[in-house]
Amino acid sequence: MSPNRIVLITGANRGIGFAILQALALRSPSDHYLLGCRDLLKGEAAIQELRKLGITSPIEPIQIDVTSDDSLRAAVQTVDSKFGHLDVLVNNAGAAVIPSAPDFSDYRSAFSAVYDTNVTSVAITLQLFLPLLRKSPSGIVINVSSERGSLGISSSGKMPPTVSIPYSISKTALNALTLEMAKFPENQDVQFQVVGPGH
């Protein structure tokens, strides 16, 4: 892989996204990392935490709310104007909602919210950033999924029932989305990957 890649990670100011950025920066410190976050102040705070952990890579926050088309378009424009391309896109931002109303009155809102964030928003993020990824000599898309999204693992009997049916179903759909996006001829030079980071 070429040095000094431009790497964007959504939802990177905390949780799995924060850990992904930390691990990548330790492994490939010469890359330039864009820490995707909805709140720039929280992004700056996350960068300070990464500095305390010994991360020396170039990192800058970029405001991006994957559920907002305006925010996504602004982020694309920012990356395009600063770098002219994108080498790696890690779609990490996600949501998990556990419906709990005894009369199932919160099922529709739970499914809609999770599916919108974990599937629809990833699809739009991909469509908007793919032109920049195609400009990279080795563009890579990494979609953060879950073992819960694997029908094979789910049907093996090795896992207990999920605590969030909307989340598990959304990750199955995300896996299918990844496969379908990779089929388009214009994306043939972009690598599409799915990862399950574990519980």
Side-chain angles (χ1 to χ4, degrees):
M1 295 183 186
S2 61
N4 308 119
R5 294 172 302 175
I6 309 303
V7 181
L8 168 60
I9 304 165
T10 65
N13 61 290
R14 63 186 180 92
I16 291 173
F18 181 93
I20 289 171
L21 199 156
Q22 180 187 3
L24 289 177
L26 285 170
R27 189 176 181 92
S28 189
S30 64
D31 287 343
H32 190 110
Y33 295 94
L34 303 176
L35 186 152
C37 53
R38 288 179 292 183
D39 184 328
L40 286 176
L41 290 177
K42 290 181 179 178
E44 293 285 2
I47 292 172
Q48 293 308 310
E49 286 301 312
L50 288 163
R51 297 296 181 217
K52 291 177 186 176
L53 293 169
I55 302 302
T56 59
S57 303
I59 309 171
E60 61 182 282
I62 180 169
Q63 191 165 35
I64 181 168
D65 177 354
V66 298
T67 64
S68 164
D69 291 358
D70 289 342
S71 176
L72 285 169
R73 291 183 190 280
V76 170
Q77 187 174 13
T78 297
V79 175
D80 191 18
S81 62
K82 283 189 175 183
F83 308 104
H85 73 285
L86 181 64
D87 297 296
V88 182
L89 171 63
V90 182
N91 284 307
N92 165 73
V97 178
I98 303 172
S100 58
D103 64 350
F104 309 107
S105 59
D106 60 349
Y107 259 53
R108 189 174 299 279
S109 61
F111 272 88
S112 296
V114 172
Y115 198 89
D116 179 52
T117 303
N118 296 358
V119 185
T120 306
S121 293
V122 174
I124 296 169
T125 302
L126 283 172
Q127 294 289 11
L128 292 176
F129 276 102
L130 271 166
L132 291 178
L133 286 157
R134 294 184 196 116
K135 293 180 181 179
S136 168
S138 55
I140 302 172
V141 170
I142 301 171
N143 289 335
V144 177
S145 186
S146 167
E147 287 187 338
R148 292 284 181 184
S150 167
L151 296 179
I153 294 173
S154 293
S155 62
S156 69
K158 297 177 182 177
M159 300 179 81
T162 181
V163 296
S164 177
I165 291 175
Y167 176 82
S168 297
I169 292 173
S170 75
K171 293 302 183 178
T172 303
L174 176 65
N175 294 347
L177 170 66
T178 308
L179 291 172
E180 292 301 323
M181 292 299 294
K183 293 176 184 177
F184 286 90
E186 59 267 33
N187 297 332
Q188 63 182 353
D189 294 327
V190 178
Q191 267 189 62
F192 285 81
Q193 302 176 7
V194 173
V195 296
H199 186 63

